[in-house]
Amino acid sequence: MIRTLKQYSLAGLSLIWLMSSCQSADGPCDATAVTISAPQSETTALKQYIDSNHIKATADKRGFYYTIQSPGSGAKPTVCDNVTVNYKGQLTNGSTFDSGDDVSFGLNQLIVGWQEGIPLVAPGGSLTLYLPPSLAYGSQEQSGIPANSILIFKIDLIKIN
């Protein structure tokens, strides 16, 4: 009985979180909602990593870097879209902490760096994102990711769902 109640409570909380993350107080998703920029200390550390590893990447005004391997074609997704991707996440030491193929996500439910980075390409496109901690997981340690880590994501945008 208690286990059943816990399962229903968990399911209810998950549903509430999902519904609230897909809509703002004003109604449906706001495609211009992300306005976070990384602090100077993080952008300096990320630039040092980019420079010392001779990576040719474009700096974004919000503090992340990116390299577009292929722009794709068609309409680009917005933060309100659900997308299907192949991806690999790595630390700066080269170790892989996560990967997935044909995985679908609502962009507005992901880390800020993905919300801002994935819309740089259209379906069929691929890019590498270099994210400072505040645009990734920040000071929150995650499974396989130390707190305050610079993260590198190689992402292929398969389609907008």
Side-chain angles (χ1 to χ4, degrees):
M1 172 86 170
I2 293 174
R3 180 179 286 185
T4 302
L5 287 174
K6 284 182 181 179
Q7 288 174 334
Y8 283 120
S9 295
L10 212 62
L13 288 173
S14 297
L15 182 61
I16 291 167
W17 175 80
L18 181 62
M19 290 173 65
S20 67
S21 65
C22 292
Q23 296 184 11
S24 68
D26 301 324
C29 180
D30 180 3
T32 61
V34 178
T35 58
I36 297 171
S37 293
Q40 186 63 45
S41 60
E42 290 182 9
T43 58
T44 299
L46 181 54
K47 183 172 180 2
Q48 182 179 358
Y49 171 79
I50 295 289
D51 291 345
S52 66
N53 287 281
H54 309 290
I55 298 169
K56 292 187 180 191
T58 302
D60 184 272
K61 66 182 178 183
R62 291 160 292 216
F64 68 93
Y65 282 76
Y66 63 93
T67 303
I68 296 176
Q69 287 80 30
S70 172
S73 60
K76 295 178 180 177
T78 71
V79 71
C80 295
D81 286 324
N82 184 288
V83 297
T84 299
V85 299
N86 296 335
Y87 72 95
K88 179 165 90 170
Q90 296 179 294
L91 301 174
T92 55
N93 67 8
S95 64
T96 299
F97 60 82
D98 194 15
S99 65
D101 289 327
D102 291 320
V103 181
S104 295
F105 299 107
L107 277 180
N108 64 342
Q109 298 170 344
L110 302 175
I111 59 175
V112 173
W114 278 44
Q115 291 179 30
E116 295 299 317
I118 290 177
L120 295 171
V121 297
S126 61
L127 77 161
T128 303
L129 297 174
Y130 303 90
L131 304 179
S134 62
L135 301 182
Y137 296 107
S139 61
Q140 295 295 321
E141 184 173 322
Q142 299 291 320
S143 179
I145 306 171
N148 298 309
S149 292
I150 292 171
L151 302 181
I152 303 161
F153 289 97
K154 296 177 182 183
I155 303 168
D156 299 323
L157 177 58
I158 307 302
K159 65 181 176 178
I160 301 171
N161 301 319

